[in-house]
Each structure stands twice: as structure tokens, then as C-alpha cells.
Amino acid sequence: MRTQVGIVGAGPAGLVLAHLLAARGVESIVLEARSRAYVEQRVRAGVLEHGTVELLRDLGLAERLDREGIVDHGVGIRFDGRHHRVPLTDLTGKSIFIYGQQELVKDLVAARLEAGGETRFEIEDVRLEGIGSASPGIRYSDGGRDERIDCDWIAGCDGFHGVSRSAIPAGLRAEYDHVFPFAWLGILAATPPSSQEVTYARHDRGFALQSFRSPEISRLYLQVEPDEDLGAWPDERIWEELRTRLATDDGWRLSEGPVLEKGVSAMRSFVVEPMQHGRLFLAGDAAHIVPATGAKGLNLAVADVRVLAEGLGEWYASGSTEVLDDYSRRCLRRVWRAEEFSAWLSGMLHRMPGENAFERRLQRARLDWVTGTESAARAFAQNYVGFPFDW
Ligand SMILES: Cc1cc2nc3c(=O)[nH]c(=O)nc-3n(C[C@H](O)[C@H](O)[C@H](O)COP(=O)(O)OP(=O)(O)OC[C@H]3O[C@@H](n4cnc5c(N)ncnc54)[C@H](O)[C@@H]3O)c2cc1C
């Protein structure tokens, strides 16, 4: 078997890359370890930056997103019982889109299959071969059969726990890792959102976040311990804690309903440099992860593959490696901006273990600054809606 670009992973990075390449006339095969049903149901991100939505529209992949997604023009920040609004669109001219990652993945898979693009689910034991040579390949097992795909290039889009990153020799990659001293307990609940805008809360008991996925489904998060036992959180305890942490003194009420799903996610920052070795390019969570606070992970994945598709398209069109040679530098500039923003926002909104009264005062001063001055609110808003792709 042969293809031009072998893509490992059918998450947002791998699937958007496959579509971007197809639009440039470059063929690819996508290999995914999980089943189609699994990747289409995995509940994760929900905030799409302005640029991500524009890119999907340009690819003709935003029809359902435009119909069912919710445009948000502002973000709420709560502390000391008061609600403050950062007017994203007034400050930047841009908005964000609320659309579940699993819905986006469904759209991307359906469009890929409809266009006849090859995507193999439930393959096993992926190994990358010859990435330092001009004829790399992907070996894997499919239903017990050993297969190999010869390709010109390999895109490692297999997420944080994938195998691609480790194909770069350890001595040739630097890894930057930071584990935050808290985790998020997230629920999906069958109840309309209490507020039509994503709302962050800083409370002495810890952080909370009110978000949603549709007019009927809410997504809510609570700061918990990194090793939190989910069994210690019956639904009523979760709602009680959300009511406390999100409360305002103006009579706002939390909308509650049956919990459909719950889980605990670690908060971590990770970056590998460079994001390329020989004929292998890493994209998305395979190369970097951010704490979910800034809602940047999926958007970074899309920004990476946009550069990668441009570089591969140019190589097939003219043989030039100019863009490919600059891939890591271009992506990492944006990645580190998002890392900094996500860490800063996390630090401002979470209760830190062992924090003292002085540190709490500093946190409060940052919150006052962001919610009380236009210049700080504008900087927050620019980061939140996302920097332009050519930044
Ligand atoms: C709770 C939570 C909330 C989040 N909220 C947001 C948000 O609001 N906004 C935002 O932008 N981001 C958010 N994120 C982050 C976002 O979900 C990720 O950054 C995004 O999924 C990255 O996409 P990806 O394609 O790089 O990786 P993934 O989505 O992880 O996809 C990788 C794919 O590769 C497959 N794979 C793995 N190993 C192999 C292998 N060996 N062979 C073949 N296939 C393999 C996996 O099964 C998977 O399908 C959130 C994450 C979490 C956990």
C-alpha cells in the first residue's frame, strides 16, 4: 500500500489535516486505533476560536456547526459573589463558537468518508519506520494481519498518549512538562445552560466553570484534587458545590438536571521541541497539551495542521521545503503563547494548595485588573478568541 501522507490518529488534528490536504490535491490515509463510534462520542473540547471556525468554513465543513453551534460574544468571570462580563466581540471584533468536539469529529469523519478518503479504524500496534529516510512507512496490525503503508511523509496526530512522539530519538527532542496541582471534575448534564456565555468562577473553595454544548446540554467543571476519587462525588454533592462556587449575590440560579457523564481530567502543560524529525511531523496533542482553562487544545491542533498542509502542499506543487523547514518554529510560537495564557488564566482562577493570604490578594488584584480595565480585558479577549493564524 502507498499514499502520499500517512496520518496517525483520527482526532481533530488528523482529520482536519486530511481535509486540508485533500483540498490541495494531496492524498492521505488516516489510521485510528479506536472505533469510529468511540472517537465520535468522546466528550472533550467545546470552545472553537474564530480562526478555527473560519478555516472549517473555507473547507466547506461548517454547515452543521453554523446551524447548531452557538456564537458567544462575551465571557463571564465571577469572584466575591459578583459577575463581570468581558465583551469579547466589542474588544476584538471576533467571537467564539460553542460546538462539541465530538460533533465536529462526526462532521469531519462523515465528510471524509463521503469524499472517498481512506480512514481505517481499530488498527493496532502502529510503528513508524524510516522517518529519517526519504521513504518512511507506517507498519500496523489490522485484524491480525501485518500491514505497511509506504508514504512520502508521516503526520503524527495521535494525541498525548500516542506512539509518534517517541519515534523522535530521545537525544534529539526536548520535552517541557508541568503538572498543575489540581484536576477538573467535569460533568455533562441534560439541562439548559444557566448562562448563555461561558462563565469562570474563582471561589475560596476552588475554581468552577459553567459552559454548555447545546441549548439543552450543559457542561460544568469543578476544581478537585489531582488524585480525586470520582466515587466520592455523587451528583448531589457536585450540584451543591457548583451552586456554592458559582453563586452571585444578585439572585442568579444554577440550572440543574440529570448528569449524563462525569470524569476527572488532569491539568498539565507539555511541549516537545522540535515538532519534526526527518519525514515525521507532530501535530496537536501529540506535540503539546495545555490545561483546559484557556480552551486552546483543539484550536492549537487546527493551527498546527494548517501550517503542515501549507508546507506539504508547497512541496508537492514545487518541491520547496521552505514552509516545512519552518514548521516547528511557526507552530511553537503560537503554542507557547497559548501555554502562557492557559497557565496565567489557571493561576488567576484556581485555589493553589498551601496558598497564603498574600497570594490570595495578588490573585484578587489580577481579577480586578482583568475585569476592571479595558486594556487588560482586551488582552484577555485577544488571547481567548485566538490570535490570527499569521501572527
Ligand atoms: C476535559 C477537556 C476539555 C477540553 N476543552 C477544550 C476546549 O474547550 N477547547 C479546546 O480547544 N480544547 C479543549 N480540550 C483539548 C482538546 O480536546 C484536545 O487538545 C484535542 O482533542 C487535540 O486533538 P488531537 O487530534 O491532537 O488529539 P486527540 O483528540 O487526542 O486525537 C488523537 C487520536 O489518535 C488516536 N491514537 C492514539 N494513539 C494511536 C495509535 N498508536 N495509533 C493510531 N491512533 C492512535 C486516538 O485514539 C485519538 O483518536 C479539552 C480537553 C479535555 C480533556
Side-chain angles (χ1 to χ4, degrees), residues 9 12-13 32-33 42 44-47 101 158 285 295-299:
E32 166 60 47
R42 190 170 35 196
R44 296 180 83 185
V47 177
Q101 176 169 332
D158 47 352
D285 279 18
K296 292 285 163 234
L298 186 155
N299 295 293

Side-chain angles (χ1 to χ4, degrees), residues 67-373:
R67 212 174 46 243
E68 297 176 16
I70 298 167
V71 186
D72 251 6
H73 297 289
V75 164
I77 298 181
R78 290 180 181 181
F79 56 99
D80 295 346
R82 299 199 52 198
H83 181 90
H84 305 260
R85 179 172 188 266
V86 180
L88 299 176
T89 307
D90 291 349
L91 291 167
T92 65
K94 295 175 185 165
S95 52
I96 51 164
F97 246 79
I98 309 294
Y99 191 63
Q101 176 169 332
Q102 73 279 19
E103 301 307 319
L104 178 62
V105 167
K106 275 182 207 154
D107 298 344
L108 295 171
V109 170
R112 167 96 180 146
L113 297 179
E114 199 180 305
E118 194 153 352
T119 308
R120 297 188 186 175
F121 292 97
E122 298 182 78
I123 56 100
E124 294 174 305
D125 197 17
V126 165
R127 285 146 289 153
L128 310 188
E129 297 180 340
I131 58 170
S133 75
S135 48
I138 307 175
R139 196 170 283 284
Y140 62 98
S141 170
D142 192 359
R145 277 189 327 275
D146 190 45
E147 307 268 12
R148 179 179 147 113
I149 300 177
D150 298 321
C151 26
D152 300 324
W153 304 93
I154 297 174
C157 302
D158 47 352
F160 185 62
H161 300 288
V163 295
S164 298
R165 189 171 60 250
S166 57
I168 301 179
L172 297 178
R173 63 178 200 263
E175 296 185 348
Y176 302 87
D177 199 1
H178 178 74
V179 179
F180 290 80
F182 46 79
W184 281 12
L185 190 165
I187 61 165
L188 202 63
T191 183
S194 320
S195 158
Q196 289 296 329
E197 293 183 342
V198 173
T199 300
Y200 293 86
R202 198 278 173 214
H203 190 275
D204 285 345
R205 293 180 62 81
F207 166 86
L209 171 60
Q210 187 267 161
S211 184
F212 48 97
R213 291 294 178 264
S214 73
E216 298 83 33
I217 303 288
S218 290
R219 182 86 166 129
L220 298 127
Y221 297 98
L222 284 170
Q223 175 184 354
V224 293
E225 296 300 318
D227 55 354
E228 194 71 45
D229 171 17
L230 201 53
W233 287 88
D235 296 356
E236 185 41 45
R237 182 178 174 204
I238 295 174
W239 288 116
E240 193 184 321
E241 200 62 35
L242 285 166
R243 279 194 294 272
T244 305
R245 295 189 195 180
L246 287 162
T248 55
D249 44 23
D250 62 1
W252 177 88
R253 286 181 72 83
L254 179 67
S255 156
E256 299 176 30
V259 174
L260 305 173
E261 202 178 304
K262 58 180 156 181
V264 173
S265 312
M267 290 291 128
R268 185 172 195 159
S269 290
F270 176 91
V271 181
V272 67
E273 292 187 3
M275 289 168 57
Q276 183 233 346
H277 177 70
R279 293 273 172 143
L280 167 68
F281 290 84
L282 302 176
D285 279 18
H288 42 74
I289 51 173
V290 280
T293 325
K296 292 285 163 234
L298 186 155
N299 295 293
L300 284 177
V302 170
D304 287 350
V305 296
R306 182 181 168 279
V307 180
L308 184 51
E310 182 190 330
L312 292 169
E314 195 175 283
W315 188 79
Y316 282 106
S318 69
S320 165
T321 60
E322 199 181 323
V323 177
L324 290 177
D325 291 343
D326 206 25
Y327 173 74
S328 270
R329 191 198 62 80
R330 271 176 72 180
C331 293
L332 286 167
R333 184 161 189 255
R334 187 183 189 84
V335 166
W336 279 111
R337 174 89 293 284
E339 291 288 359
E340 195 282 330
F341 174 65
S342 305
W344 170 80
L345 191 59
S346 300
M348 185 170 75
L349 292 166
H350 288 77
R351 182 177 44 76
M352 294 296 168
E355 69 183 7
N356 59 31
F358 175 77
E359 286 158 334
R360 269 198 295 278
R361 285 286 188 278
L362 292 185
Q363 228 176 15
R364 169 66 195 264
R366 284 181 205 121
L367 287 161
D368 280 338
W369 180 54
V370 170
T371 56
T373 68

